[in-house]
Amino acid sequence: MSHDCLFCKIVNREIPSEFLYEDDTYVVFKDINPAAPVHLLLVPKKHIRSINDLSPEEGDIISGLFMVAKEMAREQGVNESGYKLLFNVEKGGGQEIFHLHLHLIGGWQKK
Ligand code: AMP
């Protein structure tokens, strides 16, 4: 855990947040500033700064994250309409919170 990391504080329940999903490795909660009707953040509990900092041993965390994403998309009812999965990496890539997380974004009106 990193003591000045917002997502570590959320993971450790020092800052209240409603988890839509939790297991030993991940938590999922709604983005506070949603970019779409469905905007979830899928967050490994382990503090990893960004994709750049992943070690080979941590690869399973990423594959597991996609399995959680698939399940959350189904639960949120966007699996068939479609959704985006996004990692922002470092400042130039739009990352603001330096604790690895996957955005699940969807739920736009179908035309
Ligand atoms: P990123 O730009 O990829 O680092 O994404 C960070 C995301 O965290 C942004 O979309 C923010 O809206 C979101 N965010 C910041 N603070 C909170 C919070 N306390 N609870 C939920 N989402 C947050």
Side-chain angles (χ1 to χ4, degrees):
M1 166 178 180
S2 171
H3 288 289
D4 51 6
C5 170
L6 177 67
F7 284 1
C8 282
K9 287 181 180 157
I10 289 177
V11 163
N12 290 306
R13 299 180 186 275
E14 289 168 41
I15 293 176
S17 180
E18 190 187 332
F19 295 154
L20 278 60
Y21 175 82
E22 180 177 20
D23 65 18
D24 288 347
T25 313
Y26 309 102
V27 296
V28 176
F29 50 88
K30 289 184 179 168
D31 195 292
I32 205 169
N33 185 20
V38 173
H39 188 168
L40 306 184
L41 300 174
L42 288 65
V43 182
K45 288 183 171 177
K46 183 173 185 181
H47 182 82
I48 302 166
R49 177 183 165 93
S50 83
I51 287 286
N52 284 345
D53 299 275
L54 263 184
S55 67
E57 301 75 49
E58 290 164 337
D60 287 353
I61 292 178
I62 300 302
S63 52
L65 200 53
F66 283 113
M67 298 310 289
V68 174
K70 188 182 90 163
E71 201 49 40
M72 294 310 300
R74 194 186 56 76
E75 271 185 30
Q76 295 287 313
V78 298
N79 55 324
E80 289 186 357
S81 58
Y83 55 97
K84 295 178 193 289
L85 295 175
L86 175 73
F87 288 108
N88 292 327
V89 183
E90 295 297 332
K91 284 190 182 132
Q95 188 174 4
E96 292 174 356
I97 308 285
F98 295 96
H99 178 130
L100 185 80
H101 54 279
L102 181 63
H103 294 255
L104 190 164
I105 307 167
W108 302 278
Q109 207 73 27
K110 281 177 265 179
K111 292 195 178 147

